[in-house]
Amino acid sequence: MIVIGGSSSVRLAREIAENLGCEFIQASTSRFPDGECYTKIEKEKLEGEVVIVQNTYPDGNLVEMLLIRDAAANLGAGKITMVVPYFGYARQDRLFKPGEPMSARVMCRILDAVCDRVVTIDLHKESTLDFFTHPHKDLKAAGAIADFFKGRGIDLVLAPDAGAAGRAEDVGKRMGVPHDHLKKTRLSGTEVRIAPAEMDCEGKNILIVDDMISTGGTIMAAAAALREAGALSVSVACTHGVFVGNALDKLNSSALSGVHCCNTLDSAASDISVAKIIAENLKGGCRCR
Ligand code: R5P
């Protein structure tokens, strides 16, 4: 097996290869003067299974992924596994209004067309997996998040909304602490309302877990509700730290005790690695469905 890293996932791809004890190649990617992507795999030939690690977000990274995949196939790669640490467009997984595309399904169809199997991590909704026809596996970052927070005095793990309740349960059970979820109403792309916390938060060190932080609106509102309810400290951990604009700065300068995310996207907060989880799955033949 050879692991090829795209430009969105250099550090993670290298770490996955280290965990697998296999060769790592960084695709050399640059841009033509008109902005089009150029990429090259510095290798005479490839054989056997090739794992390409690259996000589909932002849009340019999807094109880079497709080009790397073609370059790998041209060099003779046998089976191609695409590891997509952060799967863009996962939140547009249904038609919210007439006339819209089902973007998540479009992304799945593209991946189906270009590779033999797909590995994702904490897709926004499990149901998106139904759009794949090729073997696929959605891995969970809960184990890595729980390991990171074990021994850090967390009393309660909370999800900011019902949609993330299962993630809070998974992390809470692994840490051996109680879990629950808040009630969120989305008002717009940047605004959310979180209902006052009903659980006992008084004097507790609380960890909020979510699949992603984008604008940070959800986490800021959740943290405010928890402080209002008497929480002693509020930390946050998400799988995908998108941090649109200055979201990370805003979160870091808020009253949150810590902002942590997995290395599916690179940022100053991505200090939880999912490399081992991915490598173990690849080692085990993927255990796709
Ligand atoms: C929503 O259902 C997701 O799980 C996240 O809570 C949400 O996408 C985070 O977005 P933002 O940081 O912009 O509030």
Side-chain angles (χ1 to χ4, degrees):
M1 192 180 280
I2 290 183
V3 176
I4 301 178
S7 65
S8 73
S9 311
V10 182
R11 286 192 303 158
L12 177 58
R14 184 176 287 117
E15 227 187 291
I16 293 170
E18 280 165 11
N19 274 277
L20 286 166
C22 74
E23 186 180 353
F24 166 72
I25 305 171
Q26 179 58 49
S28 331
T29 299
S30 56
R31 295 273 158 190
F32 287 108
D34 62 0
E36 287 183 351
C37 181
Y38 172 80
T39 196
K40 188 168 190 299
I41 299 167
E42 303 294 350
K43 190 92 179 156
E44 290 285 304
K45 66 174 181 140
L46 292 170
E47 54 193 14
E49 180 167 5
V50 169
V51 175
I52 298 171
V53 187
Q54 172 76 346
N55 291 330
T56 56
Y57 168 92
D59 294 357
N61 281 335
L62 171 64
V63 174
E64 182 187 337
M65 168 196 280
L66 299 176
L67 300 183
I68 294 172
R69 181 261 162 218
D70 194 63
N74 294 340
L75 287 173
K79 189 172 178 174
I80 295 185
T81 294
M82 202 64 81
V83 174
V84 189
Y86 178 64
F87 186 94
Y89 293 96
R91 288 183 289 177
Q92 182 75 24
D93 59 348
R94 62 191 167 96
L95 302 183
F96 296 91
K97 295 180 198 144
E100 291 179 345
M102 225 194 297
S103 312
R105 185 177 65 187
V106 173
M107 294 297 135
C108 292
R109 286 181 174 167
I110 292 173
L111 289 167
D112 261 347
V114 300
C115 59
D116 299 293
R117 62 178 181 170
V118 181
V119 176
T120 53
I121 299 138
D122 281 344
L123 267 180
H124 181 60
K125 282 206 194 113
E126 288 263 333
S127 52
T128 299
L129 297 170
D130 297 338
F131 298 138
F132 285 117
T133 54
H134 280 187
H136 55 269
K137 181 75 189 173
D138 187 50
L139 300 171
K140 307 290 166 219
I145 292 172
D147 286 350
F148 184 87
F149 280 94
K150 263 181 207 157
R152 294 188 183 213
I154 299 295
D155 303 306
L156 176 64
V157 178
L158 286 182
D161 54 31
R167 302 180 203 283
E169 179 177 2
D170 200 354
V171 173
K173 281 186 172 162
R174 288 167 189 268
M175 291 175 66
V177 300
H179 59 88
D180 207 334
H181 69 272
L182 296 163
K183 289 184 187 127
K184 173 172 102 175
T185 311
R186 182 161 284 287
L187 306 175
S188 72
T190 52
E191 280 176 298
V192 299
R193 185 174 48 228
I194 303 256
E198 288 166 6
M199 62 288 296
D200 177 16
C201 298
E202 190 67 43
K204 293 197 172 150
N205 296 305
I206 298 178
L207 170 64
I208 309 174
V209 294
D210 206 353
D211 60 331
M212 63 189 292
I213 299 175
S214 181
T215 64
T218 298
I219 296 305
M220 297 287 267
L226 296 174
R227 279 196 302 275
E228 187 70 22
L232 184 61
S233 75
V234 181
S235 304
V236 58
C238 72
T239 307
H240 313 294
V242 182
F243 301 125
V244 172
N246 63 348
L248 182 55
D249 292 338
K250 272 198 300 193
L251 291 167
N252 278 333
S253 54
S254 72
L256 282 164
S257 307
V259 181
H260 304 272
C261 57
C262 298
N263 54 353
T264 58
L265 287 159
D266 274 330
S267 76
S270 49
D271 47 8
I272 304 174
S273 182
V274 287
K276 200 165 157 222
I277 291 172
I278 296 171
E280 272 167 12
N281 182 264
L282 294 170
K283 232 186 263 173
C286 202
R287 294 187 292 276
C288 293
R289 65 173 194 176

